[in-house]
Amino acid sequence: MIVSGMLLTDPDRPPAPGWLRIHDGRIAELHETGDRPPDDQQHVGGPNRLIVPGFIDAHNHPPQFDVIGCDGLSLLEWLDRVVYPVEIWWGRGAAAQMMRHAISAMLSQGTVGFAGLFTSHGQSAHEAVNQILRRPRLRALVGRIAMDRNAPDALTAEDHWRANHTPRPSVTLPDAENDRVGISVNPRFAPACSEELLAETGWFLQENPGAFLQTHLAETGPECELVKTLFPEDRDYTSVYDRFGLLTPRSLLAHCVQLTDPEWDLIAERGSVVVHCPTANHFLGAGLFNFDAVREREIRFALGSDIAAGPDVSMPRVACAMIDTTKMRQATVAPHAHIPTPAEAWRQITEGNADALGWTDSGRLRTNAWADLLLLRVPESWYDEFLVGRLIYNWSPAIIEHRIVAGDLADPATI
Ligand SMILES: [Zn+2]
């Protein structure tokens, strides 16, 4: 297939007229010359279409797409009253259908890859992975959640059962991995995990150095207080994870709103990835993320929707929320705060998030990269120096004319 139009290969430069050829799911040729493409193949696009990489969401929860917007609760209340009930429902046979709903919602907003956490139910995780492996084959890093305390029995039972079996069954689903889907280990967060479960996860990571870990860290103040009472021996929340060997360059740590300087230093030293989820932090009133702490220490960074703590599936709107957060910090507590440009934010939700997930062949318009693209139809007046800002601040799925995932045209309405 040939795709032609204006290629946005670098958000810091104006788009250039050109075309690309897709073969075997990847970009086989890329021409930024304005030459006419060959006309002997299937062709989409046209001179006034904008071709951009599809978006990547570095943190969300597929079981929670149906509980977006349940407002008015603190994090711990919201988990008890909204999240745990819907995760129990997912584990009772609804996983396949809910996964399809999540894929459709993401694709509708132009998200073509994601890192997500399921629930603690192993069988449901298999069913969800099987849905992701079907067309449109979003790229994914996913896995079951591990949790064994401070939650309903229906969510902790499986890890209790595992703890009673020697040798324990693997905490991952290695047989499902392929070139589009990777499997991660996901201790939910320290308050829901016993020391034994965290230790088991650490052993697993030591034996499988290629494995990714996804978890939550220091989202709200009351959560951090709870961690202090549950792990009184540890210096702080981040040290709990470090004691069990959970901070590796493949660890994705969602939130990190309430960290102290020594914790930021420790994360920098371990090379782990901080996943900022600004819309979720606003929704749950968690606080203003300190983007400067990340920049000063050159901490690896990603951006996530955190559906359903975050109410917005659209990654361009999550990118706007990141910019808004830094503006709010600058106006209140940090007059010298760095404010990311729209181009920085755009780069983050495409190749930046891809790099954080180890997907160096996703999130960009390059030869040999996966052909995960969007064809946009935008007003001619947008083609000026503010193009990328206009795109993220005016974002609507209505401007997407075509979605291309792993080289195939994909329609969210048919999922
Ligand atoms: Zn989350």
Side-chain angles (χ1 to χ4, degrees):
M1 179 165 48
I2 301 283
V3 184
S4 70
M6 301 294 286
L7 295 160
L8 188 65
T9 53
D10 179 347
D12 282 310
R13 286 194 289 123
W19 57 276
L20 54 86
R21 185 171 67 82
I22 297 172
H23 180 68
D24 255 356
R26 293 180 181 262
I27 299 172
E29 289 176 59
L30 183 77
H31 300 266
E32 288 184 87
T33 57
D35 294 347
R36 268 178 64 83
D39 51 12
D40 58 338
Q41 300 182 32
Q42 184 189 1
H43 185 165
V44 294
N48 54 351
R49 301 296 191 273
L50 185 63
I51 304 166
V52 302
F55 307 121
I56 292 167
D57 184 349
H59 181 83
N60 69 32
H61 297 255
Q64 299 175 19
F65 274 64
D66 197 38
V67 293
I68 289 170
C70 300
D71 198 4
L73 304 168
S74 70
L75 167 67
L76 300 176
E77 291 169 334
W78 176 76
L79 287 172
D80 279 338
R81 288 182 49 193
V82 176
V83 168
Y84 291 159
V86 81
E87 292 199 356
I88 292 170
W89 180 247
W90 163 284
R92 288 190 179 149
Q97 189 196 353
M98 291 166 82
M99 190 67 238
R100 281 200 299 278
H101 169 55
I103 291 170
S104 175
M106 283 187 269
L107 187 60
S108 169
Q109 291 285 355
T111 295
V112 295
F114 69 101
L117 295 85
F118 297 140
T119 66
S120 54
H121 310 97
Q123 179 57 33
S124 304
H126 268 290
E127 289 164 14
V129 166
N130 285 338
Q131 294 301 319
I132 301 170
L133 290 170
R134 292 166 46 164
R135 283 172 198 269
R137 295 207 304 142
L138 299 195
R139 197 164 193 190
L141 176 70
V142 287
R144 70 175 284 275
I145 274 180
M147 57 193 294
D148 64 353
R149 64 170 169 172
N150 295 327
D153 289 346
L155 294 177
T156 56
E158 204 159 311
D159 281 296
H160 288 148
W161 180 85
R162 284 163 196 272
N164 290 327
H165 286 72
T166 307
R168 293 184 186 192
S170 163
V171 290
T172 69
L173 305 164
D175 56 321
E177 285 197 273
N178 73 3
D179 58 356
R180 293 289 289 181
V181 178
I183 304 297
S184 60
V185 287
N186 314 302
R188 173 162 228 130
F189 68 154
C193 299
S194 67
E195 299 215 349
E196 292 74 17
L197 183 58
L198 294 174
E200 184 193 0
T201 308
W203 294 330
F204 179 86
L205 292 179
Q206 216 167 24
E207 285 168 14
N208 299 274
F212 275 84
L213 171 139
Q214 300 188 62
T215 191
H216 302 91
L217 172 62
E219 182 175 1
T220 68
E223 170 203 356
C224 296
E225 288 304 313
L226 181 58
V227 170
K228 263 187 212 163
T229 63
L230 293 170
F231 300 90
E233 309 288 306
D234 292 284
R235 183 190 68 187
D236 48 49
Y237 198 158
T238 308
S239 303
V240 175
Y241 291 157
D242 194 48
R243 176 155 62 95
F244 297 104
L246 305 190
L247 301 181
T248 80
R250 289 188 161 85
S251 299
L252 307 170
L253 310 171
H255 299 303
C256 300
V257 178
Q258 307 288 338
L259 295 184
T260 58
D261 279 345
E263 293 179 278
W264 286 116
D265 293 341
L266 181 55
I267 291 170
E269 206 175 302
R270 298 286 181 262
S272 303
V273 176
V274 166
V275 188
H276 175 31
C277 304
T279 46
N281 298 157
H282 297 173
F283 182 76
L284 289 174
L288 296 176
F289 178 83
N290 184 354
F291 189 46
D292 293 303
V294 168
R295 282 170 51 85
E296 284 157 13
R297 294 168 179 81
E298 298 182 354
I299 290 174
R300 295 172 60 227
F301 181 74
L303 204 54
S305 71
D306 195 21
I307 299 293
D312 212 323
V313 180
S314 150
M315 289 310 294
R317 283 200 284 270
V318 172
C320 290
M322 172 174 81
I323 297 173
D324 290 347
T325 302
T326 58
K327 287 179 178 171
M328 282 187 260
R329 275 192 84 244
Q330 192 195 53
T332 52
V333 294
H336 303 294
H338 169 76
I339 295 175
T341 63
E344 274 179 82
W346 180 272
R347 194 184 296 283
Q348 190 60 55
I349 59 175
T350 53
E351 66 181 80
N353 276 356
D355 288 344
L357 301 180
W359 301 344
T360 51
D361 57 352
S362 273
R364 62 207 85 205
L365 302 182
R366 299 274 190 284
T367 310
N368 292 326
W370 280 103
D372 294 334
L373 322 167
L374 306 175
L375 223 78
L376 308 181
R377 197 172 193 160
V378 301
E380 224 169 288
S381 58
W382 286 17
Y383 284 98
D384 61 12
E385 62 185 301
F386 300 110
L387 171 65
V388 176
R390 292 174 185 275
L391 283 173
I392 63 172
Y393 281 98
N394 293 286
W395 181 258
S396 158
I399 67 171
I400 307 178
E401 186 172 73
H402 290 297
R403 299 156 179 86
I404 296 174
V405 181
D408 294 323
L409 288 169
D411 179 357
T414 62
I415 293 164

